[in-house]
Amino acid sequence: MCLGVPGKVISVDGPFAVVDFFGVRRQVSLDIVDEPVGPGDYILNHVGFAIRRIPEEDIGGTLALYEGLLREAGADDLMAADVRGEIAGTKVGNA
């Protein structure tokens, strides 16, 4: 299973952004995101690439879902492990 992980854009520098994923900041590529993003926007990240800007009306529900998953899932939960792995492994460039 492959999941995207939501994160908040902190800064944008050309084709890259620094994004906060639940307290972990990583650099992601903006090469394939579906629309322009800026600081304060939320994106859905997959393997170091922002793939979608999350509409403002969906941010609260999306973050609550992921926060609940990360908080309540045990170490053997495959979905939570995938999300944690995505956060840990996201790195493009020198961030």
Side-chain angles (χ1 to χ4, degrees):
M1 176 185 300
C2 297
L3 291 176
V5 177
K8 183 177 184 179
V9 175
I10 303 301
S11 63
V12 174
D13 184 14
F16 298 101
V18 174
V19 179
D20 185 288
F21 299 99
F22 304 98
V24 177
R25 289 187 177 190
R26 299 288 186 188
Q27 187 177 41
V28 301
S29 173
L30 301 174
D31 285 343
I32 61 171
V33 69
D34 62 345
E35 59 184 289
V37 298
D41 288 336
Y42 280 81
I43 55 95
L44 191 62
N45 175 73
H46 182 65
V47 294
F49 290 88
I51 57 175
R52 181 174 175 249
R53 181 179 172 274
I54 300 173
E56 191 164 329
E57 63 271 18
D58 294 342
I59 292 170
T62 300
L63 293 177
L65 176 70
Y66 279 81
E67 288 168 354
L69 174 68
L70 293 172
R71 183 181 55 249
E72 297 173 17
D76 61 340
D77 186 288
L78 296 178
M79 186 177 291
D82 194 39
V83 171
R84 290 180 182 115
E86 180 75 19
I87 292 170
T90 300
K91 186 173 185 179
V92 176
N94 298 323

